[in-house]
Structures are given as C-alpha cells and as structure tokens.
Amino acid sequence: MRELKNLDWNNIGFQYRPCDKRYVAEYKDGAWGEGYLSDDPEVRINECAGILQYCQECFEGLKAYETANGEIVCFRPDLNAERMADSAEFLCMPPFPKERFLEALKETVTANLGFVPPYGSGASLYVRPYMFASGPVIGVKPSHEYIFRMIVMPVGPYFKGGAKPVALMVSDFDRAAPHGTGHIKAGLNYAMSMHAHEIAAHAGYAENLFLDPAERKYVEETGGANFYFISADGKTLVTPKSSSILPSITRRSILYVAEHMLGLKVEERKVELAELSDFSECGLCGTAAVISPVGEIDDHGRKIVFGKGMAEPGPVTTKLYDTLTGIQLGTIPAPEGWIFKVA
Ligand SMILES: *Cc1c(COP(=O)(O)O)cnc(C)c1O
C-alpha cells in the first residue's frame, strides 16, 4: 500500500504545487547525461541561456491516475514521448530519447506515489515534461546545452461536479502562422495566445476559437485544445484537419473510440466556420479537461448554439466522455497499448 499525502483531494484545484522529486537530465558535449531525481524545485541557468533570449523550449502534458483496481497508470505516454521528440527537432533541439522518456516517467511518478490522488476523487497527477536551452547564446542559433525536466503535481478535475458547457468567441488574432509552429507543443505558442486569451476572458468567454491563419475561413483550435463536432443526425464525428494545429492525443483517441467503440462515422477534414451551425454538438479535447462540451460560440455577435446550449452536454459528448474516462480509470477495457502501468 502506498502512503497518501495528507491533502484535501476533493479541493485541489489546478495549480503548481512542488512534489518531493523531479527528474532532471542535462545535455552537454553532444550527449544526454544520466538522468537523476532531484529534491530541488529551483533551476539555476546562465543569464544568457537560449531559453531566456530566444525561447528555445518545448513541453508535454499527461496524467497519472489510480485505476479502479489500485494500479497507477498513464494514458498513451508513448505518444507524448514521440510528440516531444518531434517538437524538439523542429526547434533544433536534441530530442530526449523516447525510451528514456518512459523510464523517466516511471521513475518520477514512482518517486511521488503519495501525490497520486486516490481513485474516485476525480483528481489526478499532472505530469509536465519540458526541455529548454540552458547554454548561453547571443547570436541567434541553437544552444549547445539543454535541460530536460519532468515535474508532477496533483490536480483536481478541470470541472468540479461534471463537465459543464463552455462559451467561446471567435478570435481576431491568430494562434500560429501558416507554415509556422502551430503543430508543435512549444511555450512560444502559448506566449502568442495570451493577449487574445485575456480579451476573451474579460468578455466572459472560456476560450478563443482560432481560425486558420491563411484564409480565416476554417476552424483551427483553441489556445490549448482541439475541436470535434457531431453532425445533426448524431451519427458522424468530424475533427478539423490542418497543418497548423497541435496533434492532440485526446482527439486522436476520441476518433478511435468514436469509430471502433461507439459505431460513429468519423471524418478528419477542413471545417468551415460558416458550417458550424449545421452541427448538433461541439467539444474541446485535451489532457487537462479530457472533454469540455461547448454550448455556444460567439462570432462577432452572431451566436452559434449547439444542442441545449449552456444547459447541458449533448448525448454523444456524454458517451465519449464516459467511455474515454472509463478507459483511463480502468472500468472499460482499453484498446491494446493505451494503458502504461507505472506501479
Ligand atoms: C497540448 C495541446 C492540446 C491537447 O493535446 P492532448 O495531447 O490531447 O493533451 C491541444 N492544443 C494545443 C495547442 C496544445 O498545446
């Protein structure tokens, strides 16, 4: 039996909280050094480090859960390892080897077992792997030194008391440039989105809907989650296809669940803003909330309402949410290879 930390598991919220151990590995002289667990939540780097000057950084986000039968597991972390390597390569950083990513995950979560929220609390252990240029640069070029860290923190369910529909607004800003960095998970994309997010938040919206930056005609994603839509007859799930959105692991899993477990037709294609009113349901997908139902979208005063709007999530959304979280918590059998046992 693991010894749980004395925390108020039902009221954890979504915030930084230092745990006992974090995994650290350093890249120097052309190679990744041996990783180790550290007690130190502080990072000391040179004042001219590449991350501070030119924002050379990428990250990941995943969760560890306690399942119904008491195992500690992660959901498809091999895909996080792969995506992080892709992000790193695009930013001219040495990828952290995928097998080592999975070993680091096991080590870090195991070293913080007391922080993994108990089954049934709705909370989970959020895992944030990230790497950044630590070596000094002043001329614009990739650094010679990097630090990979994996930190963890317990977080509460994104929505207390079940998934409630959110309202979005169509942004006048773009999240990523055409042929830019929209497809990688980098902090720089989030720095870009904060101005637009503040505007949406002040106007009372949960998130922005970003349009494709080239034509401003197609739906891309929000600042941190992909979209799916359900056709009027409830039989088809559609997700936007674009080279400037982040390939969400939750969205890829939803496509599989919809097609192979719920018997829906699935389509990955360009989705026009103008056709949104044809859909009966809309949802956001990402690790943090798994699925957030979207009740309505404000397009400059024109309201697009899905199903019962802000009153309650639609039936397909509810089924998708229940199936996906059931797989994660071990109450519904998972497709081969989706569940990674940590302890
Ligand atoms: C992380 C992220 C998502 C969600 O991806 P998941 O793998 O499902 O967590 C979606 N959009 C952006 C921009 C992201 O950074």
Side-chain angles (χ1 to χ4, degrees):
M1 275 302 281
R2 62 197 179 101
E3 199 170 312
L4 273 179
K5 297 282 177 182
N6 187 19
L7 292 170
D8 181 7
W9 299 108
N10 295 311
N11 295 290
I12 293 212
F14 203 101
Q15 73 212 21
Y16 171 68
R17 186 191 301 264
C19 280
D20 291 342
K21 303 281 183 189
R22 67 278 301 134
Y23 180 92
V24 185
E26 283 152 29
Y27 184 92
K28 245 189 220 145
D29 304 322
W32 283 105
E34 288 235 349
Y36 58 93
L37 290 171
S38 162
D39 292 328
D40 190 357
E42 307 285 331
V43 179
R44 201 177 146 88
I45 50 174
N46 183 271
E47 62 189 348
C48 216
I51 174 59
L52 301 179
Q53 304 306 331
Y54 304 122
C55 212
Q56 214 188 356
E57 181 264 3
C58 62
F59 69 97
E60 273 303 323
L62 65 157
K63 286 172 169 176
Y65 311 80
E66 183 175 56
T67 64
N69 60 4
E71 291 183 341
I72 309 296
V73 303
C74 291
F75 183 71
R76 310 187 79 181
D78 50 317
L79 299 185
N80 296 99
E82 212 167 281
R83 189 171 65 187
M84 192 170 187
D86 292 344
S87 298
E89 275 178 38
F90 195 82
L91 292 174
C92 306
M93 307 164 84
F96 191 69
K98 292 172 216 167
E99 327 72 64
R100 285 195 58 188
F101 181 103
L102 295 176
E103 284 162 24
L105 177 63
K106 211 164 197 167
E107 249 184 78
T108 313
V109 174
T110 304
N112 295 288
L113 273 188
F115 287 100
V116 181
Y119 175 75
S121 64
S124 53
L125 188 74
Y126 186 70
V127 182
R128 168 56 60 90
Y130 60 106
M131 60 182 271
F132 56 90
S134 51
V137 288
I138 194 68
V140 179
K141 60 174 186 312
S143 169
H144 290 297
E145 293 174 9
Y146 297 88
I147 297 177
F148 172 93
R149 286 174 83 95
M150 194 180 275
I151 63 176
V152 298
M153 63 208 76
V155 294
Y158 212 74
F159 298 105
K160 272 176 80 175
K164 295 245 164 56
V166 296
L168 316 180
M169 68 172 256
V170 177
S171 179
D172 290 324
F173 297 92
D174 296 327
R175 188 188 79 90
H179 315 292
T181 54
H183 63 298
I184 61 168
K185 207 166 177 75
L188 55 89
N189 288 328
Y190 281 79
M192 296 270 298
S193 74
M194 283 182 194
H195 179 70
H197 188 81
E198 286 291 292
I199 291 173
H202 281 127
Y205 297 96
E207 290 288 348
N208 279 297
L209 180 158
F210 290 107
L211 294 172
D212 80 283
E215 298 183 67
R216 319 211 86 245
K217 181 174 171 190
Y218 302 102
V219 174
E220 294 263 295
E221 58 173 324
T222 67
N226 285 180
F227 278 104
Y228 70 83
F229 301 94
I230 304 296
S231 61
D233 66 4
K235 290 184 180 156
T236 306
L237 179 139
V238 182
T239 65
K241 192 182 173 87
S242 158
S243 55
S244 43
I245 65 177
L246 199 275
S248 156
I249 293 164
T250 315
R251 175 187 38 97
R252 286 182 266 166
S253 306
I254 284 173
L255 279 167
Y256 183 93
V257 165
E259 183 173 8
H260 300 282
M261 301 174 76
L262 302 181
L264 298 176
K265 262 182 55 186
V266 298
E267 291 174 8
E268 252 188 295
R269 60 164 172 87
K270 286 187 170 189
V271 175
E272 284 187 35
L273 177 63
E275 67 174 297
L276 292 194
S277 44
D278 296 345
F279 293 113
S280 60
E281 296 181 37
C282 169
L284 300 176
C285 38
T287 295
V290 188
I291 288 178
S292 317
V294 175
E296 57 187 50
I297 297 174
D298 186 339
D299 175 19
H300 303 89
R302 180 178 73 100
K303 273 232 160 85
I304 306 159
V305 179
F306 300 96
K308 299 216 169 84
M310 304 301 285
E312 59 183 64
V316 180
T317 291
T318 302
K319 234 186 272 175
L320 283 169
Y321 181 83
D322 290 346
T323 309
L324 204 56
T325 51
I327 289 171
Q328 292 174 336
L329 295 173
T331 57
I332 293 177
E336 180 74 30
W338 279 24
I339 300 298
F340 178 81
K341 187 165 179 256
V342 171

